[in-house]
Amino acid sequence: MGASSEAEAKGAVEDLRSRAKQIRRNVVRMASGKGEGYVGQGLDVADILAVLLLSEMRYDPVDRSPDTDRFIFSAGHYSIGLWAALAESGHLGGYDLDSYGADGTTLIMSTHEGHPPLIELTGGSLGHGLGVAAGLAVGYRMKGWPARIFNFMTDGEVQEGSTWESAMFTGAERLGNLVNVVDVNRTQADGDLVLEIEPLAEKFRSFGWWAEEADGNDVASLLDGFERARGVTDRPKALVCRTTLGYGVPLIMERERNHFVRVDDDEWERVAAQLEASP
């Protein structure tokens, strides 16, 4: 790589880091004053969504042509991060971020009332997304359409049998147009994961997948992971992303049972200050 190419690559990484931080600002703005919510998940997933929506995926909110990538958002309770990222990408026109979690809003705390831009599905009950993505991937391959199907899911969903039925099917069908992004923060409602899921990447490989790990809170690691996945065309791909719930805000990162976090009114200013002080 020449000097100019290296400079461009470094500039792209810095831009995505900056935009991921803005996604986190959007999350804090949406949650402030609400008292509770899936704030940790929104902070956790900002880097992943920045790379997906602002770099990796080929999409257009109007163009639904066969070469336009599709996105399944299986983890509905991460929706605050999705709305924050769509706002940063310029594709949440007509939606009011400040209405998040309010009575009558379309931007509810878990999943979505209606049909958000760019998203084929936001999951309610966990474990459904990969099956839907598999069906789309088969259909697109049958029609000869070049679009990729992306699914975003959580480590908690790996405990669902439907996930492994879908993994077995997609592996057997060698669906190279499917990319599964798994957020692994090892946290569930009552604390740590109820069931051990490791070694996760190796489990996907045993079903005939290409699978590797990435630091889900590091843009450069994510870009590298998706680049390597693009080079694989004969198998479904899983990128296992290691993250920290509440990333960038120690007050939330260190709070017990921060899956659905309670934040007092007098703590929001501290949350915002800690976010600004983070890298």
Side-chain angles (χ1 to χ4, degrees):
M1 184 183 292
S4 61
S5 297
E6 288 181 4
E8 288 174 6
K10 185 176 180 180
V13 168
E14 291 305 315
D15 178 66
L16 285 170
R17 283 175 177 157
S18 175
R19 299 188 73 176
K21 188 158 187 175
Q22 184 56 49
I23 291 171
R24 291 188 170 93
R25 291 190 184 103
N26 289 346
V27 167
V28 171
R29 167 187 163 186
M30 294 166 71
S32 291
K34 302 299 193 299
E36 60 186 13
Y38 295 103
V39 186
Q41 287 83 352
L43 297 169
D44 165 337
V45 79
D47 301 291
I48 295 172
L49 291 179
V51 172
L52 273 173
L53 296 180
L54 301 172
S55 177
E56 180 62 23
M57 291 180 60
R58 305 184 304 265
Y59 66 83
D60 186 283
V62 177
D63 177 16
R64 306 297 287 173
S65 63
D67 61 351
T68 301
D69 292 336
R70 299 292 189 259
F71 191 22
I72 307 295
F73 200 75
S74 187
H77 62 295
Y78 278 58
S79 291
I80 187 172
L82 179 60
W83 316 145
L86 287 172
E88 175 60 16
S89 69
H91 294 112
L92 204 66
Y95 292 81
D96 179 11
L97 283 184
D98 294 322
S99 73
Y100 171 74
D103 290 342
T105 185
T106 54
L107 303 184
I108 62 178
M109 286 189 178
S110 183
T111 197
H112 181 273
E113 293 291 338
H115 190 67
L118 309 176
I119 311 302
E120 303 299 314
L121 168 77
T122 51
S125 298
L126 297 179
H128 292 170
L130 189 56
V132 175
L136 280 172
V138 167
Y140 272 55
R141 187 177 67 180
M142 290 175 65
K143 291 179 177 291
W145 292 350
R148 294 170 297 169
I149 313 300
F150 288 83
N151 179 60
F152 173 82
M153 65 180 293
T154 70
D155 48 2
E157 294 182 81
V158 175
Q159 300 170 11
E160 298 280 357
S162 56
T163 293
W164 294 110
E165 291 177 30
S166 303
M168 181 168 57
F169 171 78
T170 52
E173 290 292 323
R174 304 187 71 83
L175 296 175
N177 58 345
L178 189 148
V179 184
N180 191 35
V181 183
V182 190
D183 176 47
V184 180
N185 58 40
R186 298 192 59 82
T187 306
Q188 290 184 265
D190 292 325
D192 294 337
L193 284 178
V194 175
L195 296 174
E196 183 54 68
I197 61 172
E198 301 297 346
L200 188 52
E202 184 57 36
K203 287 179 179 178
F204 275 104
R205 292 186 199 112
S206 73
F207 282 81
W209 288 56
W210 174 95
E212 292 195 18
E213 297 192 4
D215 182 341
N217 292 133
D218 182 81
V219 165
S221 178
L222 289 163
L223 287 169
D224 181 60
F226 283 118
E227 182 179 8
R228 285 181 279 119
R230 281 197 304 277
V232 178
T233 59
D234 62 344
R235 287 166 286 166
K237 284 90 70 170
L239 192 63
V240 176
C241 303
R242 306 288 177 182
T243 62
T244 299
L245 202 66
Y247 186 82
V249 179
L251 186 147
I252 294 175
M253 292 166 60
E254 297 164 5
R255 182 155 292 184
E256 256 188 275
R257 295 192 177 183
N258 58 1
H259 176 85
F260 188 79
V261 70
R262 271 73 177 175
V263 182
D264 294 334
D265 288 345
D266 62 354
E267 291 180 313
W268 284 109
E269 186 174 336
R270 198 170 142 213
V271 166
Q274 287 183 350
L275 176 60
E276 291 308 314
S278 68

